[in-house]
Amino acid sequence: MPGLSFPARDRHCRLSASLAMNNSTMAALGRSCLYLRRRGVAGGFRFLSVSAVHRKILDAATLPDRTVPHYQQTKTSSLLSLQWPQPPRNILLMPKLSAPRVTIKAIEFAKHIYNNYPGLNLVFESHIANDIHETLTFPVYTTDPIQAPTLFAKKIDLVTTMGGDGTILRAASLFSMHNSVPPILSFSMGTLGFLGEWKFGEYKRAWRECYMSGCSVTVEDLVDPHTRAAVAGAQLSGDNNDFLPLSAWDSVRGNGQCMGLSRTSKILLRNRLRVGIYDSQGRNINEQLLPTSTAEPDLGPPVSNLMKPPYLHAINEVSIDRGSHPHLAIIDIYVNGHFLTEAVADGILISTPTGSTAYSLSAGGSIVHPLVKSLLITPISPRSLSFRPLVLPLHTKVVLKLSKRNRGRELPVSIDGKRRVGVTIGMEVRVEGERLEKGVDGWRGGVPCVIRASSTKGGDPGGIAEDDDSWVGGLNGLLKFNYPFGEPVEEL
C-alpha cells in the first residue's frame, strides 16, 4: 500500500468503502488510505478520517440519564467537595454567543476532551451545534430548543461555560424550572467574569481536576454508602492501600494515580430565588413568561408547552421596573405577610448574594458574600432617600404588589433578565430563597459552581481564608477595592 500511486490508492479506497466491514478493518484501511486527491483541485488533499459519517448531529434524547454527583462537607472548609460516583459522560459546552474567538476555543476544548477522555458525549445548544459540527471529526449531540430545558435536566452531568457572567447566567437559566442543577465549570472569557473561576489557558488542568474528582479517596474519609461498600470489599480482599482506585476512570490517557480526597474539586452552592407570578385571582401564571431575547433560542418557548411549575429560579435577581413609562412605579412590599412600605421608584430588585455584585450593586445595594444565606431588597432610584437597601434571611417571603396608584399601567417583571412578563394592578410577584437541603440522594437546590483551588498557603486552620481567596481577589481585581486615586506614586 505505501508504494501505490494516488490513482491506485483512490481505486482501493473506493472499493473498500463499498464492502461491509467491521470497525477495526475500516480503521486499518483508513490508516493506509491516508490521503485522497480532491477532484478538480490541483494538489488538493483531504483526510479520509474527516468524512461525512463523523460530521453528525445526534439527538441528545438517546444519551444515558445524568450521573448525579455527591457533595461532601469537610471539616477544613466551608465549601463542599465534589465526588463523582462514576465518571461523568454527558458534557454540555456553552461558549459565549456571537463571539467567534470563543467559539474557536470551544472547538479546541471539545477536541481535547474527545481525544483524551474516551466515552464522553459532547452536547451543544442547537444553534451552536449547527455552526461547528462540520469542523469536528466526531459527532456531537443537541436537541430542539423546545425540549432543551427539560431534556438537559435529565441528561447533562456537567456544564462547561466559556464566556463572562452572562454565559453562566444563561447556563443556570436552562435549569430554572428544576431543583437539581449539574455542576458548572466556568472559564472567564467575557467582559467582566466576576463569576468565572478559570482562565482558558488552564483548561486542561481545570477539566482534569473536575472530571477526576472522586475517582479515588482516602480510606479514612470515606463517608458515602457506595464508598463504604468499596472499603468493605477491599478489607475482605486484604487490600490495605491508602487509596481505592475506581476502575471506571482507567481509560483516561495518562491517568496514572488518582488524585485523592485532598485534590477533589471544591463546590460553591450558589443560592437561587424561587419566583412565582400570580394574577388578580391568585392563579399562578408562570407559563406566560417569555424569553427576553431571540439571541438565546435554547431557553425555549413559553413554559406552558413544557410544564407548569409553581415557581421559576433566579440565580441573580428578580426585577420589576417602570419600563418605558415616564412615571415612577408604585409598588407595595410585604415581608412575611407584613406590610413594609409603598415604594415609589424606578423599580425594585430582589437579589441573591450572587446577584449582589450585578444589578443590585449598580443600584447601590450591599455586596454580600455568596456563602451568606440571604436575599436583598434594593430600590432602583427611589423617590424617598429613607428607603435604603435591605438584607434579609434567606427564607424570608417577599411579595411585591402593584399599587392602584399606578394608573392601570402594565409593568415588566424580569427573572435574571432571561424571562419577562407584564404585570398589572392586583397581580403579585412572590419571592423567597431556595432551600439547600441534604437528603439521602445528596444535596438539592442551588447552582453548584466548581471553585478553583486557592493559592493561599498556611491559611486559617478552619479553611475560611482559603475559601475567601477567589472572592476577595475578585473584589480587588475586578471591582478595584482599595484602588489608589490619581496617578500611582513612583517609589524612589
Side-chain angles (χ1 to χ4, degrees), residues 26 28 38 66 123 194 196 221 236 301 387 425 433:
M26 290 302 297
R38 182 180 297 164
R66 65 174 292 208
V123 186
F194 193 88
D221 287 310
L236 290 175
F387 189 174
I425 293 173

Side-chain angles (χ1 to χ4, degrees), residues 57 92 123-133 140-146 148 152 297-298:
I57 300 179
L92 174 61
V123 186
F124 292 88
E125 296 164 287
S126 60
H127 54 293
I128 297 176
N130 290 330
D131 289 341
I132 71 170
H133 78 279
V140 297
Y141 292 81
T142 191
T143 190
D144 188 274
I146 295 177
F152 285 169
D298 289 284

Side-chain angles (χ1 to χ4, degrees), residues 80-98:
L80 301 176
S81 176
L82 173 63
Q83 300 283 335
W84 292 106
Q86 62 184 28
R89 295 167 294 180
N90 308 328
I91 314 301
L92 174 61
L93 275 64
M94 298 185 64
K96 181 180 180 179
L97 297 176
S98 303

Side-chain angles (χ1 to χ4, degrees), residues 66-87:
R66 65 174 292 208
T67 297
V68 179
H70 302 277
Y71 304 118
Q72 297 181 349
Q73 290 179 313
T74 62
K75 297 178 181 179
T76 60
S77 174
S78 54
L79 299 176
L80 301 176
S81 176
L82 173 63
Q83 300 283 335
W84 292 106
Q86 62 184 28

Side-chain angles (χ1 to χ4, degrees), residues 97-156:
L97 297 176
S98 303
R101 178 184 63 87
V102 179
T103 301
I104 292 173
K105 295 297 184 181
I107 294 172
E108 176 186 340
F109 182 75
K111 290 180 178 179
H112 171 74
I113 293 179
Y114 180 81
N115 292 330
N116 294 279
Y117 296 83
L120 293 185
N121 307 306
L122 301 181
V123 186
F124 292 88
E125 296 164 287
S126 60
H127 54 293
I128 297 176
N130 290 330
D131 289 341
I132 71 170
H133 78 279
E134 288 287 347
T135 66
L136 300 173
T137 60
F138 48 86
V140 297
Y141 292 81
T142 191
T143 190
D144 188 274
I146 295 177
Q147 303 297 329
T150 300
L151 188 64
F152 285 169
K154 296 179 180 178
K155 300 294 184 179
I156 298 303

Side-chain angles (χ1 to χ4, degrees), residues 162-465:
M162 303 175 191
D165 293 351
T167 307
I168 299 175
L169 204 65
R170 193 172 97 243
S173 295
L174 284 173
F175 304 91
S176 63
M177 290 181 287
H178 303 276
N179 292 325
S180 181
V181 180
I184 297 179
L185 175 65
S186 57
F187 294 96
S188 181
M189 302 178 69
T191 305
L192 182 60
F194 193 88
L195 304 181
E197 285 291 325
W198 299 85
K199 297 179 181 178
F200 184 75
E202 305 170 299
Y203 75 87
K204 293 182 180 179
R205 168 197 163 196
W207 169 257
R208 181 179 178 82
E209 288 187 4
C210 182
Y211 175 81
M212 304 293 287
S213 187
C215 73
S216 179
V217 296
T218 54
V219 174
E220 62 182 2
D221 287 310
L222 292 173
V223 292
D224 281 356
H226 73 284
T227 50
R228 287 178 183 153
V231 173
Q235 290 175 344
L236 290 175
S237 65
D239 186 359
N240 294 321
N241 292 335
D242 291 335
F243 292 93
L244 298 174
L246 303 181
S247 59
W249 279 268
D250 287 349
S251 61
V252 177
R253 292 186 180 181
N255 182 7
Q257 293 184 348
C258 292
M259 298 180 297
L261 186 63
S262 62
R263 294 288 303 279
T264 55
S265 294
K266 297 297 183 183
I267 293 292
L268 170 61
L269 274 177
R270 295 185 179 274
N271 296 102
R272 296 184 296 179
L273 300 175
R274 302 199 310 178
V275 186
I277 313 296
Y278 294 81
D279 65 15
S280 57
Q281 281 75 45
R283 295 173 298 195
N284 186 285
I285 60 168
N286 280 353
E287 71 273 9
Q288 297 182 17
L289 287 158
L290 294 170
T292 56
S293 172
T294 57
E296 302 179 27
D298 289 284
L299 287 180
V303 181
S304 57
N305 292 343
L306 304 170
M307 60 180 71
K308 293 186 178 180
Y311 48 78
L312 297 177
H313 293 94
I315 188 176
N316 261 6
E317 76 274 311
V318 177
S319 68
I320 180 170
D321 58 79
R322 67 178 185 175
S324 60
H325 300 288
H327 303 289
L328 296 177
I330 305 175
I331 304 166
D332 294 333
I333 303 177
Y334 294 80
V335 174
N336 290 332
H338 301 284
F339 177 71
L340 175 67
T341 187
E342 178 189 72
V344 182
D346 280 352
I348 296 294
L349 299 170
I350 312 295
S351 307
T352 64
T354 296
S356 70
T357 52
Y359 197 171
S360 177
L361 178 62
S362 298
S366 301
I367 297 176
V368 181
H369 192 285
L371 288 175
V372 178
K373 294 177 173 55
S374 60
L375 57 83
L376 297 79
I377 300 179
T378 307
I380 305 172
S381 302
R383 183 179 65 181
S384 173
L385 297 181
S386 64
F387 189 174
R388 311 306 299 165
L390 304 175
V391 180
L392 303 174
L394 176 66
H395 302 142
T396 302
K397 295 182 179 181
V398 179
V399 176
L400 306 178
K401 294 183 180 180
L402 265 65
S403 170
K404 295 180 180 179
R405 298 171 57 202
N406 276 287
R407 307 176 187 177
R409 293 179 297 163
E410 179 181 271
L411 301 183
V413 172
S414 175
I415 298 178
D416 271 346
K418 302 299 181 184
R419 292 189 180 273
R420 180 173 290 241
V421 69
V423 296
T424 56
I425 293 173
M427 299 179 67
E428 296 182 359
V429 181
R430 303 176 187 176
V431 184
E432 65 178 307
E434 180 188 24
R435 294 179 180 271
L436 302 181
E437 300 175 340
K438 185 177 183 181
V440 178
D441 56 346
W443 287 88
R444 290 180 62 83
V447 177
C449 297
V450 180
I451 303 298
R452 64 180 296 130
S454 170
S455 58
T456 303
K457 301 288 186 179
D460 190 320
I464 302 302

Side-chain angles (χ1 to χ4, degrees), residues 47-67:
F47 286 103
L48 181 64
S49 60
V50 186
S51 63
V53 172
H54 296 290
R55 297 173 177 172
K56 285 184 177 180
I57 300 179
L58 304 179
D59 187 0
T62 63
L63 294 173
D65 287 345
R66 65 174 292 208
T67 297

